[in-house]
Amino acid sequence: MEGLDQKAREVDQYETYEDYLDKQIKPPSMLYLQDRQLARQLVEQGYRGTGEALKREEFETLKREIDEMRKNAMCKKQQVLAHEGIDVDEYPLLKTLAEREKNVRNGKLTTIVFIRDKNAKGQEISGYIDYGHRLEQDDFKIYFERKRRLLPRPSDLSFYNWTTQMSTSNPSKNFQVIPDLTSDSPGLLFKNKRDRKILIVDPTSNSCGDNSKRVEVETHEYLQVVIYDHTTRRKS
């Protein structure tokens, strides 16, 4: 199995701790002792064997970690994307999100979605949404099926209600929110938690930051939509 160190690969070869100990027993030891259980005890205590043996607790901990890695790998392999089988070609934001879903889910890409529109009360709202964070929180199939509209909410990276002047900001799974002290007007910056790079969302800035890009989405779905993509260089 890929991703295992030498010790874990060795443990992965055996079904039980007893099988592992048996492999460490030197043939002359069995001839001398004539007792497999005693030979196992001596190997575990480091008196006889082909090298320093793992303790039972360490062996079983590694076995559990390997099993967990296998389960996670299987889940990723069997991962069903929320947009699969749904035609979103006529809905620019949904199409943009569908194109990014796989890479965001597997950690190759982090994406912030800025949306400005009106809520059910007719109040103009805007905010920055951590797409990856929301993918984990929400069943995105209902958005792709257009049963519910994706809108910013007070628990997102940032939220502002232009009528009530309610304003909130929160860290997410992928980003920290920090004030933009370099701008003439108050604003926000987002620090990626993986590579600690700063993502700049000020539309007047010449750059979004290292490994980042800004995409304005022309859409009839909302008053304004902007996508900020950040590619991390750190290996997952």
Side-chain angles (χ1 to χ4, degrees):
M1 180 177 175
E2 294 183 3
L4 301 181
D5 60 23
Q6 184 175 352
K7 186 182 293 186
R9 283 196 297 271
E10 182 182 5
V11 167
D12 194 36
Q13 298 176 41
Y14 306 103
E15 288 295 322
T16 67
Y17 184 59
E18 286 69 27
D19 291 341
Y20 165 75
L21 290 178
D22 288 346
K23 189 65 176 180
Q24 313 301 314
I25 299 172
K26 294 179 180 180
S29 297
M30 279 302 301
L31 290 173
Y32 173 74
L33 295 171
Q34 296 295 311
D35 186 327
R36 184 168 296 276
Q37 189 61 35
L38 177 58
R40 288 172 177 169
Q41 292 175 2
L42 291 174
V43 169
E44 185 174 3
Q45 293 168 13
Y47 293 114
R48 293 177 183 270
T50 59
E52 185 177 350
L54 298 172
K55 299 298 184 183
R56 181 180 293 274
E57 182 179 354
E58 187 177 4
F59 177 91
E60 293 179 349
T61 297
L62 281 170
K63 288 291 283 185
R64 286 193 296 270
E65 290 175 354
I66 293 167
D67 287 343
E68 189 65 28
M69 287 178 67
R70 279 205 171 91
K71 289 177 183 177
N72 291 338
M74 186 63 68
C75 287
K76 285 184 178 180
K77 193 172 183 179
Q78 297 176 346
Q79 185 182 77
V80 177
L81 301 177
H83 74 273
E84 283 189 358
I86 304 172
D87 184 3
V88 293
D89 286 347
E90 296 183 7
Y91 301 89
L93 172 59
L94 297 180
K95 182 179 180 181
T96 300
L97 296 179
E99 291 169 347
R100 289 160 170 76
E101 183 183 0
K102 183 176 181 179
N103 284 339
V104 169
R105 284 190 185 275
N106 64 29
K108 293 180 179 179
L109 182 71
T110 50
T111 296
I112 292 177
V113 184
F114 172 79
I115 292 178
R116 180 171 64 87
D117 205 60
K118 293 185 178 181
N119 62 16
K121 297 180 180 179
Q123 301 168 334
E124 186 172 321
I125 59 173
S126 62
Y128 292 92
I129 300 168
D130 178 349
Y131 182 31
H133 191 77
R134 277 283 205 106
L135 276 172
E136 292 188 358
Q137 290 184 323
D138 298 354
D139 176 7
F140 251 73
K141 187 174 182 179
I142 61 175
Y143 297 120
F144 287 118
E145 290 179 334
R146 302 184 301 284
K147 293 179 179 178
R148 183 184 301 172
R149 298 179 74 238
L150 178 64
L151 287 171
R153 54 196 185 202
S155 58
D156 282 316
L157 282 170
S158 80
F159 173 87
Y160 186 67
N161 185 311
W162 293 82
T163 301
T164 65
Q165 297 187 348
M166 174 187 176
S167 176
T168 64
S169 62
N170 308 279
S172 70
K173 176 186 175 182
N174 299 301
F175 293 96
Q176 291 177 312
V177 184
I178 56 178
D180 184 0
L181 302 178
T182 64
S183 177
D184 293 334
S185 57
L188 297 174
L189 298 170
F190 300 105
K191 179 187 286 188
N192 189 282
K193 290 183 176 180
R194 293 184 184 179
D195 60 11
R196 306 185 67 81
K197 298 289 187 181
I198 299 295
L199 196 155
I200 303 167
V201 295
D202 183 350
T204 64
S205 175
N206 294 326
S207 170
C208 293
D210 293 344
N211 310 323
S212 300
K213 66 178 181 178
R214 181 182 189 272
V215 179
E216 188 92 29
V217 180
E218 297 294 334
T219 175
H220 59 277
E221 303 162 89
Y222 299 90
L223 294 177
Q224 185 182 13
V225 174
V226 183
I227 299 290
Y228 297 89
D229 289 325
H230 180 76
T231 305
T232 57
R233 294 189 179 277
R234 198 177 98 177
K235 296 180 180 179
S236 59

